[in-house]
Amino acid sequence: MAQKQNQLEKAITRLVLLAEVQGMTIDDLIAMMESGASVSDIVIALSPHQRLCA
């Protein structure tokens, strides 16, 4: 259980750091999720290579 929690914490940290690079805050991430975006949607939206995938 502790290992899964540690992996989750690392994933959340990476997501928050990626958002900060894009000029977003944690509140922005929460608003995206509340509007129905999945974590995958958010990661793709924040990805620096997003334009290559679209």
Side-chain angles (χ1 to χ4, degrees), residues 4-50:
K4 283 188 177 185
Q5 184 176 3
N6 191 29
Q7 290 173 343
L8 180 59
E9 289 172 356
K10 286 181 182 181
I12 292 170
T13 300
R14 289 180 187 140
L15 183 61
V16 170
L17 290 173
L18 183 58
E20 287 178 348
V21 167
Q22 300 294 329
M24 296 178 69
T25 65
I26 293 173
D27 290 332
D28 295 328
L29 291 174
I30 293 170
M32 288 177 76
M33 293 194 76
E34 287 176 344
S35 72
S38 68
V39 174
S40 296
D41 293 336
I42 294 171
V43 169
I44 291 169
L46 295 175
S47 173
H49 302 292
Q50 159 194 21

